[in-house]
Amino acid sequence: MRIVIAPDSFKESLSAMQVATAIQQGFSEIYPDAEYVKLPMADGGEGTVISMIEATNGHYFNEIITGPLGLPVEGFWGLMGDGKTAVIEMAAASGLHHVPPAQRNPLYTTSHGTGELLLAALDHGVERIILGIGGSATNDGGAGMMQALGASLRDAQGQELEVGGEAIGGLATIDLSGLDPRLANVSVTVACDVNNPLCGPTGASAIFGPQKGATPEMVKTLDSALFCYGSLIEQVTGNAVLHAAGAGAAGGMGAALLGMLNAELRPGIDIVIKALQLDSLIENADLVITGEGRIDSQSIHGKTPIGVARSAKRFNKPVIALAGGLTPDHPVVHDHGLDAVFSVLTQVATLPEALQNAERNLRITARNIASVWKMAREA
Ligand SMILES: O=C(O)[C@H](O)CO
């Protein structure tokens, strides 16, 4: 029996490889002789570089860059096995994990460090850049990144914009003449972890602002700032960003990349699935297992478990997902290819307890799923 285990990471708890290993261990208690194929997945957010580099025997480069709070942090980027394609995840520079919960405030966090990672890849002479966006601590519309790349974004007084998601509401002029000229000779493909638009009830601020520390009041400020920012990008560049799918990924960074860098936005999971050749591994599988820290109705907008399920359904394979938590609106995922979903929680727990015990809980749940799977096969 061949079992493909292709989960995302459980954010702030386990890497995708740790999740896959825990699932394999649980399953092996019932099926010790099965063939297990472990594929750490990502959707453009955290973990994208590791997935792509491991799959292509590439290399890592560590860089000290500006973190979301404006302080130096250690980030990284990857060079894929072809030696020409850089893979960068914005979360490595501007991700939520760089900001302790008590300091999360997207009014003031910056994506500047992501621009610095792009410059580091350009210094290396790459020909193509895959930029994974998502998992951010920022809601600045990618303004910090653009400034790092040489764009001048000024307010009505002619001053360069201050950092953060609030300041971009004052954007009055965009001057792209100072952009690093090497960008003109490099193709930039953007792997978005979600397909949300820039603004409104399903936009960057409303849906992802709260996890970055935004209160309902801040969400309103951030949303209207992104609207002013996106409107000016449209006006100046002629590129439509306000309603574009994925423009709201990574706190609106999708809009900057689409509007100001003419980059192509694609679902991150599709890029990772292709690089890892998931389809060919699933083709001969008996069962596909995926997972993510939380499965909710938003999962259908480009998250890993749904991407994996779509691949599996192309070959009519059964798909089971394990999650740290399931929200009440999660059942919609069944319409998108996930046959069964399980929360791994084994008892009532606080969030820190759930994060701490995730590995053990995954093993226990995987073991029980394997047991039911065996009973069903033998019935
Ligand atoms: O970074 C974020 O805002 C979310 O992951 C959606 O892209």
Side-chain angles (χ1 to χ4, degrees):
M1 185 169 65
R2 182 180 229 226
I3 302 172
V4 172
I5 306 175
D8 207 318
S9 59
F10 276 29
K11 298 232 159 30
E12 302 190 53
S13 171
L14 299 173
S15 70
M17 184 51 105
Q18 288 172 316
V19 173
T21 300
I23 293 173
Q24 179 188 359
Q25 286 169 350
F27 242 78
S28 298
E29 287 184 34
I30 306 297
Y31 283 112
D33 300 325
E35 181 195 350
Y36 294 97
V37 180
K38 288 190 291 181
L39 275 183
M41 300 293 295
D43 55 19
E46 211 181 324
T48 301
V49 172
I50 194 166
S51 285
M52 308 277 272
I53 294 309
E54 283 181 358
T56 62
N57 287 324
H59 300 282
Y60 288 97
F61 297 90
N62 291 320
E63 309 283 346
I64 301 294
I65 31 101
T66 306
L69 296 176
L71 302 169
V73 295
E74 189 166 285
F76 59 89
W77 63 279
L79 185 65
M80 285 175 64
D82 66 2
K84 297 175 184 160
T85 308
V87 54
I88 296 173
E89 62 193 42
M90 72 86 68
S94 319
L96 208 49
H97 63 280
H98 284 307
V99 188
Q103 292 177 46
R104 289 180 186 171
N105 184 341
L107 293 177
Y108 305 117
T109 44
T110 178
S111 61
H112 200 275
T114 300
E116 295 170 34
L117 285 184
L118 286 160
L119 292 175
L122 291 175
D123 288 345
H124 199 86
V126 300
E127 293 175 11
R128 188 168 170 247
I129 295 176
I130 296 175
L131 173 60
I133 66 170
S136 66
T138 52
N139 211 90
D140 71 348
M145 170 192 70
M146 291 306 301
Q147 288 169 314
L149 292 173
S152 175
L153 307 177
R154 294 180 186 271
D155 63 20
Q157 285 72 46
Q159 300 297 316
E160 201 58 40
L161 287 185
E162 297 288 330
V163 296
E166 185 173 25
I168 60 168
L171 180 64
T173 60
I174 298 176
D175 178 1
L176 301 178
S177 61
L179 270 185
D180 191 307
R182 294 171 297 179
L183 284 166
N185 304 318
V186 171
S187 85
V188 181
T189 303
V190 183
C192 301
D193 70 336
V194 295
N195 60 8
N196 297 64
L198 190 59
C199 312
T202 57
S205 318
I207 301 295
F208 304 105
Q211 75 195 26
K212 304 173 192 182
T215 61
E217 208 46 49
M218 288 182 200
V219 165
K220 281 189 208 147
T221 306
L222 292 164
D223 190 54
S224 71
L226 275 181
F227 182 76
C228 298
Y229 175 78
S231 304
L232 197 77
I233 293 178
E234 285 200 347
Q235 208 179 305
V236 171
T237 67
N239 291 330
V241 299
L242 283 176
H243 303 289
M253 182 176 273
L257 292 160
L258 183 64
M260 295 193 258
L261 286 190
N262 293 312
E264 184 194 359
L265 303 192
R266 287 183 43 202
I269 185 64
D270 291 355
I271 292 176
V272 175
I273 282 176
K274 196 164 166 221
L276 271 55
Q277 300 181 327
L278 182 67
D279 281 8
S280 65
L281 295 166
I282 280 180
E283 201 172 352
N284 301 316
D286 296 284
L287 175 65
V288 178
I289 304 178
T290 182
E292 186 155 28
R294 189 171 80 165
I295 292 185
D296 56 25
S297 62
Q298 291 304 311
S299 302
I300 64 173
H301 299 292
K303 292 291 188 184
T304 292
I306 299 298
V308 171
R310 286 203 187 111
S311 282
K313 289 306 167 190
R314 280 198 274 279
F315 304 100
N316 213 16
K317 304 294 179 186
V319 192
I320 296 174
L322 284 77
L326 302 173
T327 57
D329 59 4
H330 84 270
V332 66
V333 299
H334 299 308
D335 300 334
H336 295 263
L338 289 179
D339 295 302
V341 291
F342 293 87
S343 162
V344 301
L345 283 183
T346 54
Q347 61 188 63
V348 176
T350 61
L351 181 60
E353 285 165 350
L355 296 176
Q356 198 186 342
N357 297 326
E359 194 167 2
R360 172 181 155 272
N361 289 346
L362 268 164
R363 273 201 311 272
I364 292 171
T365 310
R367 185 237 170 254
N368 286 327
I369 291 171
S371 188
V372 173
W373 178 252
K374 188 161 188 244
M375 285 190 277
R377 277 166 67 93
E378 291 173 357

